[in-house]
C-alpha cells in the first residue's frame, strides 16, 4: 500500500469528496521518520477540541501522545516511534463543549480486537504476496454479462463449524469452502459483510470498522489467503457492503468528534429507527471520500471482485420505512434523497473507472428505474440488480398447494414482463430462510417426496430463467430448519439421509449443466436469449420456453408444477429434427420417480404453439426437463424463414387449388367431391413446387418445352370437360335447388383448376406457380 504524504492536493481531494484512496492518507501506517521506525496516525475530526492516541503502549493516558492539526484545520496527525504491528490503540477525543474524552476506534483502522473488545490494532498491509495473477489477467479479458454467474452466498460464522462448535478460520475456509464451491460448480462466492462489527446477530450489517476485516476468523492476510485461493480455483469473490447505515455503538462512527460527523445534522435523516442504526450523510463530501475509498479499498487491498450493496432503497428514499410526519421532502417536494443519488452516481463512476470489470450489485427492492444502467445513460450506475420481485412472486407461487397454482399462474410468468428492464440477478438469499419464513424445502407443500420434487423443479426453472443466479448456503442440499447464524449448517443430512444426498447431487449436476451450456447465460439481458413456447397453460400449471446463445444454440425448458404425469404433451419447437432429453429433475439418481424420455424425440410437421414443428414428450410430475436438438432435419423445400412459412401455411387455400391438372368430372348425386379421372396418356403428373428453391436454367428450358407439348392435350381435355359439364347440368336439374347450386359451383371450380390453360411463360423462364386459388375462368 502506498503512503500519502498528506500533501495539499491529497487533502483537497478528500474535502472535495473525490479522494478515492483516502485510506493511504488516514489511519495508522507503519513507516519511518527521522531514522526511527514507528506508526503515523492520522484522523479526521474537525469538531474536536483535542485528540490523542491511547493504548497499552502509554497506559491509555490521554496526555501522552497528543495529536496536532495539519494545515487544513480538520485533520489531526502524530508519529509515535517504537510502535509495532499488533499494537492496540484508540483515539481519545475531547469535544468542543468539553467533558470527558470520547474513546473511538479508528474509522480507517485495518485490523481490530476480537469482539467484544473494540480497539483497533496496527497492521502492516504490505507483506502479503498474491498468487492470483492468472485470475486477474483472465478477468481483464472477459465481460461478466456474457459469462455464467452462479453465486454461493455464505455466512462465514455458520457455514460449517468444528466438531466442538468453534468457528472455522479464514484459512480453514480457504481449503474447505473453496474446494466445496469448486466441486459444486459455483462460479462465485458471496460473503455476507466482512467488516468489523460488535454484535454477531447483526450478521455484519451493523459495522463499526469499515476498513477492518473482522478478526473473528483471523488476520487480514488470512482473509487475503482465502480470496487468493478462491481466485486460483477460478472462483470470483463478492462481498456484501453496507454504505447505507452504521452501528450506533460508542466506539464507532456515531457522534465521532462530539458532534454529528458521519451522520446528518438533521435527526430525521440521521436516525434509522427500524434497524436501530444511523444513516450516513451523503451530502458531506468527506463522507463521500470515506465510503468511495472504502469500496476501492476492498478491491485494491483484498482483490474483491465485486460488492453487493445492501439496502439501496433505504438510501434512495427519504421516506423508506417511515410513517407520515417522520420525514421531510427534498427541495423539489419529492421523496428522493438527492444527496444519496449523487453519491451513488459518483461511487459507481469511480469504481468502474478504477476497476472496469468490477461487479456492483444493488439490492434494491423497489421499481426505481435504471438501477443497472450507466450514469451517462441516466441510470444509477450499478451493473446488476437483485430481482426481488421475481424472488417474492416465485416463492409465493411454490408455497401454494399445486391444486391452487393454476389460479396464480401469473406469479410464475409475470417476471418476463420486466425481465430485461435491468441486468438482474435472481437471488434465493439468506433473507428468505429466516424469521419464520421457513427454509426453501419447507416452503414446498406436500409430503416428504413432493417437497424434494418441488424444490428440484423450482431450481430447474430458476436455472433456465434469464438472469444471473445466487443461492444461500444450505439450500443446495435441502436443509429443513431455518438458517441459524450461531451454529453450523446441518451437514449430517447429506451424509446420512438419502434424499438429502440426492438433492446435493442434483444441485451439483444442475450447476454443472448451467455453467457448461452457454444458452443459459450468454444472452441474459435481452429478448434474443429467451422465447416463450407456452406461457398460458395455467390449467396444467405448465410452462415451456427456449433459451438461446449468441450462435443460435438453444435449449428447451419444460416445467410441470403439479404431481400429475403429462403423457404425450405436445410442444412447438423451433427447428425440425430429432431432439433428446438432456436433463430431467425427476431422474432416480436425484430422488425422482424416474419418468424419463429416454428415446430420441423426432419432431413432427404438426404446427403447435405458433411453430411449424412440434414434439410429443412425457413430462414428469413436479419436474423440469431440458431438451436439445440432437440432429437437425431440414424441412423439405423450405427456404424462407420459419415465421414466413407459418404465415403462408395459415393463409393456404383449400386443398383442391393445389391439385394437379386432370379432367373434371361431374359429382355424383349428393356428393360435392370432385373425382380425378384420366390424365393424358403421354403426360407425366407435374410435381408440386411449394417452397422449392429457384429452378436452374436447364430446369427452366425443360419446363418450357414440356409446356408446349402439353398445350394440345390441355385443349382436348378442356373440350371433354365442357361436354361432361353439360351432362352434369341436366342431371342436376332433377335435384333440389340447394344441391344443384353446390354441385354447379364445385364442378366449375374443378374445371377451372384441372382444365384451365396455363399462362405462357416468357422464354427461358419457368411457369409461374399457382399457389392459392387460380384466377376465375370465363365459364365462372
Amino acid at each position: 500500500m502506498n503512503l500519502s504524504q498528506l500533501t495539499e492536493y491529497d487533502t483537497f481531494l478528500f474535502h472535495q469528496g473525490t479522494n478515492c484512496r483516502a485510506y493511504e492518507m488516514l489511519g495508522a501506517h507503519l513507516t519511518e521518520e527521522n531514522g526511527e521506525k514507528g506508526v503515523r496516525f492520522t484522523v479526521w475530526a474537525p469538531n474536536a477540541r483535542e485528540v490523542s492516541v491511547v493504548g497499552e503502549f502509554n497506559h491509555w493516558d490521554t496526555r501522552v501522545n497528543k495529536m496536532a492539526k495539519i494545515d487544513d484545520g480538520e485533520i489531526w496527525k502524530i508519529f509515535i516511534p517504537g510502535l509495532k504491528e499488533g499494537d492496540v490503540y484508540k483515539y481519545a477525543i475531547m469535544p468542543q463543549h468539553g467533558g470527558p474524552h470520547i474513546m473511538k476506534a479508528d474509522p480507517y483502522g485495518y485490523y481490530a480486537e476480537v469482539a467484544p473488545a473494540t480497539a483497533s490494532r496496527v497492521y502492516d498491509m504490505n507483506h502479503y504476496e498474491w498468487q492470483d495473477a492468472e485470475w486477474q489477467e483472465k478477468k481483464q479479458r472477459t465481460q461478466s454479462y456474457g459469462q455464467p454467474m452462479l453465486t454461493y452466498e455464505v455466512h462465514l460464522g455458520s457455514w460449517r463449524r468444528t466438531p466442538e462448535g468453534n468457528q472455522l478460520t479464514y484459512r480453514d475456509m480457504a481449503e474447505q469452502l473453496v474446494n466445496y464451491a469448486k466441486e459444486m460448480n459455483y462460479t462465485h462466492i458471496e460473503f455476507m459483510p466482512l467488516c468489523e462489527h460488535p454484535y454477531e446477530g447483526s450478521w455484519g450489517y451493523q459495522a463499526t470498522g469499515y476498513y477492518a476485516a473482522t478478526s473473528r476468523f483471523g488476520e487480514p492476510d488470512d482473509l487475503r489467503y482465502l480470496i487468493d485461493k478462491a481466485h486460483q480455483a477460478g472462483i470470483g469473490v463478492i462481498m456484501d457492503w453496507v454504505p447505507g447505515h452504521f452501528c450506533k455503538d460508542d466506539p464507532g462512527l456515531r457522534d465521532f468528534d462530539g458532534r454529528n460527523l458521519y451522520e446528518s445534522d438533521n435527526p430525521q435523516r440521521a436516525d434509522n429507527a427500524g434497524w436501530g442504526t444511523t444513516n450516513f450523510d451523503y451530502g458531506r463530501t468527506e463522507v463521500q471520500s470515506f465510503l468511495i475509498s472504502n469500496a476501492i479499498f476492498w478491491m485494491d487491498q483484498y482483490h474483491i471482485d465485486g460488492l453487493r450493496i445492501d439496502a439501496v432503497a433505504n438510501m434512495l428514499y427519504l421516506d423508506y420505512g417511515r410513517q407520515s410526519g417522520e420525514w421531510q421532502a427534498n427541495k423539489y417536494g419529492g421523496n428522493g434523497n438527492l444527496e444519496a443519488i449523487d453519491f451513488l452516481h459518483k461511487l459507481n463512476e469511480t469504481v468502474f473507472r478504477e476497476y472496469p470489470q468490477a461487479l456492483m450489485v444493488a439490492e434494491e427492492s423497489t421499481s426505481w428505474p435504471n438501477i443497472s444502467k450507466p450514469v451517462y445513460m441516466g441510470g444509477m450506475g450499478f451493473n446488476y440488480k437483485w430481482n426481488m420481485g421475481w424472488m417474492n412472486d416465485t416463492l409465493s407461487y411454490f408455497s401454494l398447494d399445486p391444486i391452487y397454482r393454476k389460479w396464480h399462474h401469473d406469479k410464475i410468468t409475470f417476471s418476463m414482463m420486466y425481465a430485461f428492464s435491468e441486468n438482474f440477478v435472481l437471488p434465493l438469499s439468506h433473507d428468505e430462510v429466516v424469521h419464520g419464513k421457513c427454509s426453501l424445502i419447507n416452503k414446498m407443500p406436500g409430503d416428504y417426496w413432493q417437497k424434494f420434487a418441488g424444490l428440484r423443479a423450482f431450481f430447474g426453472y430458476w436455472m433456465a430463467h434469464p438472469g444471473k443466479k445466487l443461492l444461500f448456503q444450505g439450500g443446495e442440499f435441502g436443509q429443513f430448519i431455518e438458517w441459524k447464524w450461531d451454529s453450523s449448517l446441518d451437514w449430517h443430512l447429506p451424509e446420512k439421509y438419502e434424499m438429502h444426498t440426492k438433492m446435493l447431487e442434483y444441485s451439483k449436476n444442475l450447476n454443472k449443466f448451467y455453467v457448461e451450456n452457454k444458452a443459459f447465460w450468454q444472452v441474459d439481458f435481452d429478448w434474443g436469449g429467451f422465447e416463450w413456447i407456452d406461457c398460458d397453460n395455467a390449467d396444467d400449471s405448465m410452462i415451456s420456453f427456449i433459451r438461446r446463445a449468441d450462435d443460435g444454440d438453444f435449449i428447451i425448458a419444460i416445467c410441470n408444477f403439479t404431481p400429475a404425469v403429462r403423457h404425450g404433451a405436445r410442444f412447438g419447437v423451433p427447428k425440425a429434427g430429432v431432439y433428446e432429453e438432456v436433463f430431467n429433475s425427476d431422474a432416480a439418481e436425484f430422488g425422482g420417480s424416474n419418468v424419463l424420455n429416454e428415446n430420441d424425440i423426432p419432431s413432427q410437421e404438426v404446427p403447435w404453439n405458433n411453430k411449424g414443428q412440434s414434439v410429443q414428450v412425457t413430462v414428469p410430475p413436479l419436474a423440469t426437463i431440458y431438451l436439445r436438438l440432437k440432429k437437425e432435419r431440414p424441412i423439405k423445400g423450405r427456404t424462407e424463414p420459419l415465421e414466413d412459412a407459418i404465415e403462408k401455411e395459415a393463409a393456404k387455400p383449400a386443398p383442391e387449388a393445389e391439385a394437379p391438372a386432370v379432367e373434371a368430372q361431374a359429382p355424383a348425386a349428393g356428393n360435392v367431391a370432385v373425382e380425378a379421372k384420366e390424365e393424358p396418356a403421354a403426360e407425366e403428373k407435374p410435381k408440386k413446387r411449394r417452397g422449392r428453391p429457384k429452378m436452374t436454367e436447364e430446369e427452366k428450358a425443360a419446363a418450357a418445352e414440356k409446356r408446349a407439348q402439353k398445350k394440345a392435350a390441355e385443349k382436348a381435355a378442356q373440350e371433354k370437360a365442357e361436354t361432361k359439364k353439360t351432362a352434369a347440368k341436366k342431371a342436376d336439374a332433377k335435384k333440389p335447388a340447394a344441391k344443384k347450386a353446390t354441385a354447379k359451383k364445385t364442378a366449375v371450380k374443378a374445371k377451372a383448376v384441372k382444365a384451365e390453360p396455363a399462362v405462357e411463360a416468357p422464354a427461358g423462364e419457368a411457369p409461374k406457380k399457382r399457389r392459392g386459388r387460380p384466377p376465375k375462368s370465363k365459364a365462372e
Side-chain angles (χ1 to χ4, degrees):
M1 179 189 295
N2 296 323
L3 177 61
S4 166
Q5 298 304 312
L6 292 173
T7 65
E8 183 179 352
Y9 181 66
D10 288 339
T11 57
F12 169 79
L13 293 179
F14 174 73
H15 292 303
Q16 289 295 306
T18 54
N19 189 329
C20 66
R21 283 180 169 78
Y23 55 88
E24 297 178 353
M25 181 177 75
L26 299 169
H29 294 268
L30 288 160
T31 186
E32 183 176 326
E33 291 189 11
N34 300 321
E36 291 187 277
K37 292 183 179 179
V39 177
R40 189 193 78 184
F41 295 93
T42 317
V43 64
W44 176 58
N47 302 306
R49 178 187 294 183
E50 178 182 286
V51 182
S52 61
V53 180
V54 295
E56 295 176 356
F57 54 87
N58 61 13
H59 308 291
W60 302 94
D61 190 336
T62 62
R63 300 167 298 176
V64 177
N65 297 114
K66 292 185 179 182
M67 306 180 77
K69 285 185 179 181
I70 64 172
D71 292 341
D72 76 334
E74 296 187 4
I75 295 174
W76 302 75
K77 171 192 172 186
I78 189 175
F79 175 77
I80 304 177
L83 297 191
K84 59 187 182 305
E85 187 173 19
D87 282 344
V88 173
Y89 71 98
K90 280 188 176 182
Y91 295 115
I93 300 173
M94 178 182 288
Q96 285 286 354
H97 55 73
H101 286 78
I102 303 170
M103 307 296 284
K104 293 289 187 178
D106 190 347
Y108 289 84
Y110 307 131
Y111 189 32
E113 290 186 295
V114 179
T118 59
S120 300
R121 285 184 179 273
V122 175
Y123 197 81
D124 185 358
M125 296 294 289
N126 293 309
H127 48 52
Y128 186 80
E129 295 183 5
W130 289 91
Q131 305 295 322
D132 65 346
E134 183 178 346
W135 168 265
Q136 299 296 345
E137 192 274 333
K138 176 184 176 183
K139 191 166 68 170
Q140 297 305 314
R141 291 186 283 105
T142 57
Q143 288 285 346
S144 62
Y145 307 109
Q147 298 298 318
M149 189 184 298
L150 178 55
T151 304
Y152 188 51
E153 186 185 22
V154 172
H155 177 255
L156 281 176
S158 62
W159 178 72
R160 180 176 287 164
R161 295 200 172 194
T162 67
E164 297 75 29
N166 297 322
Q167 295 176 337
L168 300 181
T169 67
Y170 290 127
R171 290 188 177 264
D172 292 333
M173 292 282 185
E175 306 305 324
Q176 298 183 37
L177 175 61
V178 170
N179 290 339
Y180 176 79
K182 185 175 180 62
E183 181 183 356
M184 289 296 295
N185 301 295
Y186 292 107
T187 64
H188 292 75
I189 297 171
E190 180 173 312
F191 292 119
M192 291 167 70
L194 299 176
C195 299
E196 194 55 80
H197 53 284
Y199 177 50
E200 289 194 46
S202 77
W203 314 333
Y205 289 97
Q206 297 184 14
T208 52
Y210 275 76
Y211 288 82
T214 179
S215 55
R216 289 171 173 82
F217 314 112
E219 299 181 4
D221 280 356
D222 296 331
L223 175 57
R224 286 165 149 178
Y225 179 78
L226 166 57
I227 297 168
D228 204 356
K229 281 293 186 181
H231 286 170
Q232 291 173 48
I235 298 171
V237 178
I238 303 169
M239 186 186 81
D240 277 15
W241 187 55
V242 192
H245 57 108
F246 57 87
C247 183
K248 285 185 175 181
D249 284 33
D250 288 341
L253 299 176
R254 183 168 177 259
D255 294 333
F256 185 78
D257 59 359
R259 292 182 56 183
N260 299 325
L261 187 63
Y262 288 88
E263 67 273 31
S264 174
D265 293 328
N266 183 338
Q268 280 192 322
R269 289 201 177 188
D271 187 51
N272 194 324
W275 292 329
T277 56
T278 301
N279 295 323
F280 281 103
D281 181 2
Y282 304 108
R284 191 163 288 158
T285 51
E286 293 85 359
V287 172
Q288 295 176 14
S289 286
F290 172 82
L291 289 172
I292 293 173
S293 293
N294 189 240
I296 297 296
F297 170 81
W298 287 101
M299 297 179 184
D300 179 24
Q301 296 298 309
Y302 284 92
H303 289 200
I304 290 284
D305 299 292
L307 300 171
R308 176 264 192 186
I309 291 79
D310 181 67
V312 172
N314 175 66
M315 302 170 68
L316 292 175
Y317 294 93
L318 294 169
D319 60 344
Y320 186 83
R322 299 171 187 266
Q323 302 299 318
S324 178
E326 295 179 350
W327 63 282
Q328 295 176 348
N330 62 36
K331 63 183 180 181
Y332 301 113
N335 64 344
N337 188 332
L338 304 181
E339 292 84 0
I341 294 169
D342 288 342
F343 162 73
L344 290 173
H345 288 166
K346 185 184 292 187
L347 166 71
N348 286 314
E349 286 179 323
T350 303
V351 167
F352 288 118
R353 183 185 70 234
E354 300 292 323
Y355 294 96
Q357 308 303 323
L359 307 174
M360 294 293 283
V361 186
E363 189 246 345
E364 203 283 318
S365 55
T366 74
S367 57
W368 191 288
N370 298 324
I371 291 291
S372 59
K373 297 297 186 291
V375 175
Y376 67 83
M377 293 178 63
M380 200 56 61
F382 297 95
N383 53 356
Y384 292 99
K385 175 184 175 178
W386 272 20
N387 194 337
M388 310 293 279
W390 172 89
M391 178 183 69
N392 291 327
D393 284 348
T394 54
L395 293 180
S396 172
Y397 177 86
F398 281 98
S399 297
L400 295 168
D401 188 296
I403 198 171
Y404 302 118
R405 288 177 177 171
K406 64 181 178 180
W407 287 291
H408 300 272
H409 195 68
D410 60 312
K411 287 184 178 293
I412 208 69
T413 60
F414 180 68
S415 61
M416 291 310 303
M417 297 295 290
Y418 60 89
F420 308 120
S421 62
E422 302 276 4
N423 300 333
F424 279 123
V425 174
L426 307 184
L428 299 173
S429 72
H430 65 277
D431 279 328
E432 307 314 308
V433 293
V434 290
H435 304 321
K437 296 180 183 178
C438 299
S439 63
L440 288 181
I441 196 164
N442 239 355
K443 294 179 192 292
M444 304 295 135
D447 58 25
Y448 185 74
W449 185 91
Q450 289 177 336
K451 284 182 178 294
F452 281 94
L455 186 60
R456 292 193 305 270
F458 175 34
F459 279 4
Y461 153 77
W462 166 61
M463 204 64 74
H465 190 289
K468 307 308 182 184
K469 315 295 187 293
L470 177 139
L471 178 67
F472 183 58
Q473 62 186 35
E476 71 273 22
F477 62 80
Q479 172 151 318
F480 264 104
I481 64 171
E482 287 188 342
W483 169 54
K484 296 188 295 185
W485 58 267
D486 55 353
S487 62
S488 172
L489 295 178
D490 290 340
W491 290 105
H492 64 280
L493 294 177
E495 292 172 357
K496 296 182 178 180
Y497 297 95
E498 181 182 24
M499 287 300 286
H500 292 280
T501 305
K502 290 184 175 181
M503 185 68 214
L504 185 64
E505 186 66 19
Y506 172 74
S507 295
K508 177 180 178 180
N509 281 267
L510 181 63
N511 293 353
K512 185 173 187 290
F513 189 91
Y514 168 79
V515 299
E516 290 181 350
N517 286 276
K518 59 188 177 182
F520 274 5
W521 42 259
Q522 196 172 61
V523 189
D524 259 333
F525 306 121
D526 64 63
W527 282 103
F530 178 89
E531 179 185 355
W532 279 117
I533 294 176
D534 188 359
C535 61
D536 297 324
N537 191 356
D539 287 341
D540 293 334
S541 296
M542 292 177 63
I543 59 173
S544 51
F545 53 88
I546 302 168
R547 291 301 312 277
R548 285 193 173 91
D550 274 333
D551 62 1
D553 182 33
F554 65 92
I555 293 173
I556 295 171
I558 301 172
C559 307
N560 176 15
F561 299 131
T562 71
V565 181
R566 307 295 180 184
H567 294 285
R570 185 175 291 278
F571 301 91
V573 293
K575 290 186 177 182
V578 177
Y579 289 77
E580 61 178 336
E581 182 181 88
V582 290
F583 196 88
N584 189 324
S585 71
D586 193 53
E589 64 183 300
F590 304 142
S593 58
N594 215 40
V595 176
L596 310 175
N597 294 276
E598 298 182 283
N599 299 321
D600 287 345
I601 306 167
S603 69
Q604 303 165 357
E605 290 194 35
V606 177
W608 210 260
N609 300 132
N610 295 316
K611 292 180 170 45
Q613 296 280 316
S614 59
V615 297
Q616 282 187 295
V617 297
T618 298
V619 188
L622 292 173
T624 295
I625 65 174
Y626 302 147
L627 306 181
R628 172 181 276 126
L629 182 63
K630 181 178 180 181
K631 183 178 180 181
E632 186 172 359
R633 182 184 69 244
I635 301 175
K636 188 175 181 181
R638 174 171 293 153
T639 59
E640 68 271 40
L642 177 62
E643 292 78 6
D644 295 346
I646 292 173
E647 289 181 8
K648 290 179 181 179
E649 185 73 17
K652 189 175 71 174
E656 61 267 21
E658 293 290 344
V662 295
E663 290 186 63
Q665 179 175 330
N671 185 2
V672 297
V674 179
E675 282 188 30
K677 287 203 169 183
E678 313 169 7
E679 296 180 357
E683 186 69 15
E684 182 181 332
K685 190 175 182 180
K687 297 180 180 178
K688 299 179 186 178
R689 290 191 179 274
R690 184 185 307 163
R692 180 172 175 176
K694 189 175 180 180
M695 299 177 70
T696 63
E697 292 299 325
E698 291 79 6
E699 289 177 315
K700 289 179 182 179
E705 183 179 354
K706 187 177 292 185
R707 187 173 183 78
Q709 295 173 354
K710 286 175 56 180
K711 207 167 184 180
E714 287 176 348
K715 183 175 181 181
Q718 185 176 8
E719 293 174 354
K720 188 175 182 180
E722 291 292 338
T723 302
K724 290 187 177 182
K725 184 180 73 171
T726 302
K729 285 182 179 179
K730 292 179 180 180
D732 287 344
K734 301 176 182 180
K735 303 297 178 182
K739 290 185 177 180
K740 180 178 179 181
T742 301
K744 179 179 179 180
K745 183 177 180 179
T746 304
V748 171
K749 184 185 294 186
K751 186 272 298 181
V753 175
K754 310 303 180 182
E756 183 185 3
V759 179
E760 187 69 38
E765 292 188 13
K768 296 181 179 179
K769 293 181 274 189
R770 291 195 176 275
R771 184 179 303 166
R773 180 172 178 171
K776 292 183 179 181
S777 66
K778 293 179 180 179
E780 292 179 288

